[in-house]
Amino acid sequence: MSHSEPIHFDVDGTKIAVRRRQGRTPGVMWLGGYLSDMRGTKAEALDAWGREIGIAVTRHDYSGHGESGGAFKDGTISRWLAESLAVFRRFTEGKQVLVGSSMGAWIALRLIQELQKAGEGARVGGLLLLAPAPDFTIDLVEPGLSAEQRKVLQSQGYIEEPSEYSPEPTVYTRALLEDGRENRVLEGIIETHCPVHILQGMADPDVPYSHAMRLVEHLPADDVTLSLIRDGDHRLSRPQDIGLMLRVAAALVERAG
């Protein structure tokens, strides 16, 4: 397929857009954040790096995001996880390093759990988690809701909040919050059976670095690295942040091989 145009394939009746760069394995699979898409700065940088060194890079848009079909308000963690599993199984080969940004880190952790249940966990050779937001609906969104917002959620099914990253408001649905409780990962030990490297900005206004430190407590004691970037924000898209991401990705790919 042409690199300039995605391929679309059906997942539960919705067309999911995928871009796959052919190359050697271990490869890299990108998992984007909430309301983000696969054409963002970090995903594009990862793809360009894959081209330079000749490794496979796979990325996709969740339903309701970017170039995929479906309505954003119909999205849940379970739905986006199912789509990501379908992409992983259809478009990747051999070992993969999962690179998850923000909500994508939550998807990555759930993805490896589901692969392990299916006897496919050995295909994940490493996890690179950027400003990880596992359980963000339960731990970061719900505690900040006012009584009025909770009332609107129940009556309308969704709420809207101003966004620092877009002129469009950020939408949270009742279905998303309810489904988030069914996908918690910060309750016990998360067995990854692979190296994990977390990059977290200490100036992140959306996901406090204490959340990343809490995640470390739920990961096995060995093979987990947390790198705190003192002046890093949530996006981690500055040149120095991108450079660090690529260096860590390269190290994880080398280890996975």
Side-chain angles (χ1 to χ4, degrees), residues 8-28:
H8 288 83
F9 82 116
D10 186 278
V11 180
D12 296 328
T14 300
K15 296 296 183 184
I16 300 301
V18 181
R19 281 186 166 82
R20 181 173 191 269
R21 178 173 295 286
Q22 301 286 345
R24 68 177 184 273
T25 57
V28 170

Side-chain angles (χ1 to χ4, degrees), residues 35-104:
L35 287 170
S36 298
D37 62 59
M38 62 176 163
R39 303 302 301 273
T41 304
K42 295 189 291 295
E44 290 282 347
L46 198 66
D47 183 69
W49 168 74
R51 180 184 68 244
E52 290 173 7
I53 67 172
I55 68 167
V57 178
T58 305
R59 48 190 171 139
H60 68 287
D61 285 331
Y62 311 121
S63 57
H65 290 69
E67 297 163 292
S68 287
F72 177 78
K73 288 181 180 178
D74 292 334
T76 61
I77 300 300
S78 292
R79 180 170 183 173
W80 296 328
L81 170 62
E83 293 160 1
S84 301
L85 272 168
V87 171
F88 183 91
R89 287 170 169 152
R90 178 162 175 173
F91 293 97
T92 72
E93 300 173 353
K95 280 196 173 183
Q96 298 291 312
V97 171
L98 304 181
V99 182
S101 176
S102 193
M103 182 188 76

Side-chain angles (χ1 to χ4, degrees), residues 162-184:
S163 171
E164 294 184 18
Y165 308 107
S166 168
E168 298 297 320
T170 298
V171 176
Y172 298 111
T173 67
R174 185 174 66 222
L176 174 73
L177 300 184
E178 291 175 349
D179 180 76
R181 299 179 200 124
E182 303 302 315
N183 283 280
R184 291 180 181 177

Side-chain angles (χ1 to χ4, degrees), residues 126-257:
L127 290 176
L128 171 51
L129 308 180
L130 312 171
D135 297 8
F136 80 91
T137 54
I138 306 104
D139 293 339
L140 302 178
V141 176
E142 290 195 57
L145 295 178
S146 66
E148 179 61 27
Q149 286 175 314
R150 293 176 189 275
K151 184 186 298 184
V152 172
L153 263 177
Q154 289 303 314
S155 61
Q156 182 174 269
Y158 68 92
I159 57 172
E160 297 180 340
E161 294 187 344
S163 171
E164 294 184 18
Y165 308 107
S166 168
E168 298 297 320
T170 298
V171 176
Y172 298 111
T173 67
R174 185 174 66 222
L176 174 73
L177 300 184
E178 291 175 349
D179 180 76
R181 299 179 200 124
E182 303 302 315
N183 283 280
R184 291 180 181 177
V185 293
L186 299 179
E187 291 191 308
I189 293 297
I190 306 169
E191 296 286 358
T192 62
H193 302 292
C194 67
V196 181
H197 198 130
I198 299 168
L199 302 183
Q200 174 68 48
M202 295 182 72
D204 186 336
D206 301 307
V207 180
Y209 68 89
S210 58
H211 197 70
M213 296 174 72
R214 182 181 169 207
L215 171 58
V216 170
E217 295 174 358
H218 290 268
L219 291 164
D222 56 342
D223 256 353
V224 178
T225 302
L226 169 61
S227 296
L228 293 174
I229 304 163
R230 181 171 291 278
D231 60 347
D233 61 10
H234 187 62
R235 287 183 169 182
L236 295 179
S237 292
R238 301 170 303 175
Q240 62 266 39
D241 301 326
I242 297 292
L244 178 57
M245 175 188 74
L246 297 179
R247 290 193 298 275
V248 173
L252 288 171
V253 166
E254 183 177 358
R255 289 188 65 180

